[in-house]
C-alpha cells in the first residue's frame, strides 16, 4: 500500500502533529531577554520582539521537544523562532551577535540591502563568528517591509536558528491594517541534519512517502488504458526517476511548524470583529515549500519579498524557503484555520485566527498528492504548446519519446530527431491544426537554449531543450484545484522597475542535478568546482535561469534586487528570491549597485549544501 499520511499508524500521526506544548524546554534554558527588548508578545506561542536601533543576540544550544523526543537545537536568545526584530527605515542599526556554541556561527540578513561585509556568509563576506566571540553588524536600513534572518553556517538554520524582521517605512505605511501577525513557517527534524543529508546522498528518494504502487498502476490503467499505464511506468523507470518526487524531505522526518509551534500546539493569533488584519508570511523552512490558505477567507496579497505590489486577491499561494508574502484579511467569523500543507502533501503546519484564545475550527484534509506531468519534465513539448493541453502527453507512447535529453535514457536525442510515426498515442490526441505553429515555437525555443559543456557529465541527469517561459503556472498540485492560486504573473511591483535601462549583457545559468547521486549544481558544476561569476559595478545585466531539473528551486541572489521579466521582456516584479519551476526558463534584470563578494544559491538547504551555489564578485 502507498506510504501516505492517511495510512499512517497512530505513532506516525502523533509525530506529524507533534506535541501540543512542543518547543524549547524553557525550564532548563530560560529565555534570554536583552535590555533593549521591547517585551514579549502577549501570546506565549509568539517569538519575543526586540525593537529599536541596538540589538543583542546570543547564539547557543537549547534543549527542545517537538515530538516527544528531547533534542538539541541552535537558538538565538533561547527561542525558536529567534526574536522578531523591529527596525525603522532610515535608521542605522547595531546588532551584536555573541557565539556560545562550540563551532563557528553567522547570521545572514535575508533580503536586506547592506554592505557585503555585513551580509553574514562565512568564506564569502566574512570569516564567521568564532566560539566565544562577539561580532557587531552595523548598517543603515534602506528599505521597509517583511524580511527574516538565519544562520549561514553549517546546518544551524535547520536546527532552529531563524527569526523575522519587520521594518517600518520612514513615511506613513501605505498598507493600512488594524492589527498584524508574523507567520513564520519552518520545519524540524529529530534526526541529525548531517545524517539526513547522508541518507539522501545514498538514496535521493529515501523520504518519499508517495512512491507509485501496484494499486496506483491499476488505477492508471483503469483511467487511461493499460498501454498508456505500462509505457508511462517504463518511461519513469528508465529515467530512474519518480513522478512523485516533489520534495527531498517529507513528514517521515519533518514536523512542520508555525511560529515554532507544532500542528497539535495550534499557534493562535487574535483579532477583533471588523478589524483588517495584516499577516506577514515568511518561509523560514530549510527544505519545504508550503501551500498556504485560510479556508473561508480571501487573501489579498499586498507585498512580495518586502516590496509592495498591486493588490491581488487569491485563495491560496505557494512559497518556498526564503520567500515572504504580506496579505490582508478581513475576518467576519470568530475562528479560522491557517493551513499550510507541504508541497508533497505528507504533512502541514497550522494555526488559528480567532476572536478568543482557546477557540479552533476544523483543519482541512490534506489535498491528494499529484504527480509531475510531462510539462514538468519536458517544458514546452510536454505542454503541447500551451498549459491547457499539458495532460495530452499522458497518452503518448513514452517508449519512443526522444524530446528530452536524459542520461540513463541513452541520451534520447533531440526532439527534432523524433520518429513521429512511432508515437500513435500522441498523434491520436494531438490537435493537428496547431501542429505547424507548435513546431515553429519549439524550433525557436531549441535554438535559444545554450547548454554548457559542463552539463554533459555525471552531475547532470537531465537537460531540457524546450523550456516553458510562462509565469502563470501555479505548479504541480495547484493546477485546476478549484481555488484561485497566486502565480508570478499575478504579481506587479508598484512603481515599476528601479532602473529604466535595458540589459547591457546577458548571463545564462542552468539549474542542474542528478537525483540518483543527489548532486545539485549550476551548469553541471558544484560550488567547489566552479569559479565566481563577475559583475561590473554599475551595469544592468539580464540573468536567465533555466531549470534542467524536475524540482522547483527558490534562487536567492544576495545584495541586489532581481527584477523578473515577462516573456515579452516587460517588467513584472522585483524579488530577492525567485522560485524556478521544473523545465522553466525565467529571466530577470539586475542593476549591479553593490560592490563586493556575494552568494547566489538555491534556498533549499540541502541543494545549496550539495553544490547549487555560486559566488558573485562585483568590481
Amino acid at each position: 500500500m502507498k506510504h501516505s499520511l492517511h495510512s499512517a499508524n497512530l505513532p506516525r500521526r502523533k509525530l506529524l502533529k507533534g506535541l501540543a506544548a512542543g518547543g524549547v524546554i524553557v525550564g532548563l534554558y530560560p529565555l534570554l531577554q536583552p535590555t533593549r527588548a521591547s517585551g514579549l508578545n502577549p501570546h506565549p506561542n509568539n517569538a519575543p520582539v526586540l525593537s529599536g536601533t541596538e540589538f543583542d543576540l546570543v547564539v547557543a544550544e537549547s534543549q527542545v521537544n517537538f515530538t516527544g523526543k528531547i533534542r538539541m537545537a541552535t537558538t538565538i536568545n533561547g527561542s525558536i523562532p529567534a526574536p522578531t526584530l523591529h527596525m525603522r527605515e532610515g535608521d542605522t542599526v547595531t546588532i551584536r551577535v555573541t557565539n556560545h556554541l562550540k563551532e563557528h556561527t553567522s547570521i545572514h540578513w535575508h533580503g536586506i540591502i547592506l554592505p557585503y561585509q555585513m551580509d553574514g556568509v562565512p568564506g564569502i563576506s566574512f570569516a564567521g563568528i568564532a566560539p566565544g566571540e562577539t561580532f557587531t553588524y552595523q548598517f543603515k536600513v534602506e528599505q521597509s517591509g517583511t524580511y527574516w534572518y538565519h544562520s549561514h553556517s553549517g546546518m544551524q538554520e535547520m536546527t532552529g536558528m531563524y527569526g523575522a524582521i519587520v521594518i517600518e517605512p520612514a513615511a506613513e505605511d501605505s498598507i493600512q491594517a488594524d492589527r498584524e501577525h508574523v507567520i513564520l513557517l519552518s520545519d524540524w527534524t529529530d534526526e541529525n541534519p548531517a545524517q539526513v543529508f547522508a541518507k539522501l546522498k545514498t538514496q535521493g528518494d529515501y523520504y518519499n512517502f508517495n512512491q507509485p504502487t501496484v494499486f496506483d498502476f491499476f488505477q492508471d490503467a483503469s483511467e487511461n488504458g493499460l498501454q498508456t499505464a505500462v509505457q508511462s511506468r517504463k518511461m519513469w523507470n528508465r529515467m530512474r526517476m519518480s513522478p512523485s518526487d516533489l520534495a527531498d524531505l517529507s513528514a517521515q522526518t519533518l514536523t512542520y511548524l508555525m511560529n515554532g509551534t507544532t500542528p497539535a500546539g495550534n499557534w493562535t493569533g487574535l483579532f477583533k470583529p471588523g478589524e483588517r488584519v495584516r499577516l506577514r508570511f515568511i518561509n523560514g523552512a530549510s527544505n519545504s515549500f508550503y501551500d498556504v490558505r485560510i479556508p473561508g477567507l480571501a487573501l489579498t496579497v499586498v507585498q512580495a519579498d518586502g516590496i509592495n505590489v498591486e493588490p491581488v486577491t487569491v485563495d491560496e499561494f505557494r512559497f518556498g524557503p526564503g520567500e515572504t508574502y504580506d496579505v490582508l484579511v478581513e475576518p467576519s467569523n470568530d475562528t479560522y484555520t491557517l493551513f499550510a500543507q507541504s508541497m508533497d502533501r505528507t504533512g502541514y503546519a497550522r494555526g488559528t485566527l480567532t476572536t478568543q484564545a482557546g477557540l479552533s475550527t476544523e483543519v482541512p484534509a490534506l489535498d491528494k498528492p499529484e504527480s509531475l506531468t510531462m510539462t514538468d519534465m519536458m517544458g514546452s513539448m510536454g505542454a503541447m504548446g500551451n498549459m491547457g493541453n499539458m495532460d495530452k502527453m499522458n497518452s503518448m507512447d513514452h517508449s519512443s519519446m526522444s524530446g528530452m535529453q536524459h542520461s540513463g535514457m541513452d541520451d534520447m536525442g533531440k526532439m527534432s530527431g523524433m520518429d513521429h510515426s512511432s508515437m500513435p498515442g500522441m498523434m491520436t490526441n494531438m490537435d493537428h491544426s496547431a501542429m505547424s505553429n507548435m513546431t515553429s515555437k519549439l524550433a525557436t525555443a531549441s535554438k535559444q537554449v545554450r547548454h554548457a559543456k559542463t552539463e554533459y557529465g555525471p552531475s547532470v541527469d537531465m537537460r531540457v531543450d524546450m523550456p516553458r517561459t510562462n509565469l502563470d503556472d501555479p505548479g504541480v498540485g495547484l493546477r485546476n484545484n478549484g481555488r484561485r492560486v497566486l502565480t508570478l504573473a499575478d504579481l506587479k511591483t508598484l512603481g515599476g522597475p528601479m532602473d529604466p535601462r535595458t540589459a547591457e549583457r546577458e548571463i545564462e545559468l542552468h539549474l542542474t542535478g542528478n537525483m540518483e547521486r543527489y548532486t545539485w549544481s549550476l551548469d553541471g558544476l558544484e560550488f567547489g568546482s566552479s569559479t565566481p561569476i563577475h559583475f561590473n559595478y554599475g551595469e544592468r545585466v539580464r540573468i536567465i535561469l533555466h531549470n534542467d531539473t524536475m524540482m522547483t528551486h527558490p534562487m536567492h541572489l544576495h545584495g541586489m534586487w532581481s527584477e523578473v521579466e515577462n516573456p515579452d521582456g516587460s517588467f513584472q516584479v522585483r524579488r530577492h528570491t525567485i522560485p524556478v519551476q521544473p523545465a522553466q526558463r525565467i529571466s530577470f534584470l539586475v542593476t549591479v549597485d553593490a560592490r563586493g563578494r556575494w552568494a547566489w544559491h538555491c534556498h533549499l538547504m540541502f541543494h545549496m549544501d550539495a553544490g547549487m551555489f555560486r559566488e558573485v564578485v562585483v568590481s
Side-chain angles (χ1 to χ4, degrees), residues 514-571:
N514 185 319
M515 274 301 293
E516 191 169 56
R517 294 170 177 260
Y518 200 76
T519 61
W520 298 100
S521 53
L522 294 168
D523 283 351
L525 294 174
E526 291 90 350
F527 175 60
S529 302
S530 66
T531 56
I533 297 169
H534 289 270
F535 288 172
N536 301 314
Y537 181 76
E539 73 174 332
R540 182 81 160 160
V541 60
R542 172 175 288 108
I543 307 296
I544 296 172
L545 294 181
H546 175 122
N547 192 350
D548 280 317
T549 80
M550 294 176 62
M551 301 194 82
T552 303
H553 302 282
M555 298 301 297
H556 174 44
L557 173 62
H558 291 217
M560 291 160 278
W561 289 109
S562 302
E563 299 196 314
V564 178
E565 297 178 297
N566 273 312
D568 64 8
S570 60
F571 171 73

Side-chain angles (χ1 to χ4, degrees), residues 198-207 211 248 515-516 518:
K199 290 177 181 178
L200 292 172
K201 292 291 288 184
T202 301
Q203 180 183 341
D205 61 355
Y206 185 92
Y207 294 100
Q211 296 282 10
D248 295 328
M515 274 301 293
E516 191 169 56
Y518 200 76

Side-chain angles (χ1 to χ4, degrees), residues 27 109 121 165 201 227 262 300 353 368 413 473 514 579:
W109 315 98
V121 182
I165 300 174
K201 292 291 288 184
Q227 182 182 7
T262 65
T300 300
L353 280 180
K368 179 183 177 181
D473 178 17
N514 185 319

Side-chain angles (χ1 to χ4, degrees), residues 3 61 98 113-114 188 194 209 213 248 344 409 482 539 553 570:
H3 231 341
E61 286 191 326
T98 300
I113 302 300
L114 37 60
W188 169 266
F209 259 41
T213 65
D248 295 328
D344 67 342
M409 294 180 72
E539 73 174 332
H553 302 282
S570 60

Side-chain angles (χ1 to χ4, degrees), residues 36-103:
R36 292 171 182 83
S38 64
L40 298 179
N41 281 349
H43 194 280
N45 284 347
N46 281 338
V49 176
L50 309 181
S51 300
T53 59
E54 295 194 32
F55 305 88
D56 290 285
L57 304 179
V58 178
V59 182
E61 286 191 326
S62 301
Q63 285 189 327
V64 297
N65 186 351
F66 289 106
T67 66
K69 300 178 181 179
I70 296 177
R71 294 290 186 263
M72 296 304 296
T74 310
T75 59
I76 296 177
N77 291 14
S79 70
I80 296 178
T84 297
L85 306 183
H86 273 255
M87 305 174 182
R88 187 173 182 82
E89 181 183 11
D91 286 349
T92 296
V93 297
T94 301
I95 308 171
R96 290 173 286 271
V97 180
T98 300
N99 183 10
H100 285 178
L101 301 174
K102 297 179 181 178
E103 60 186 19

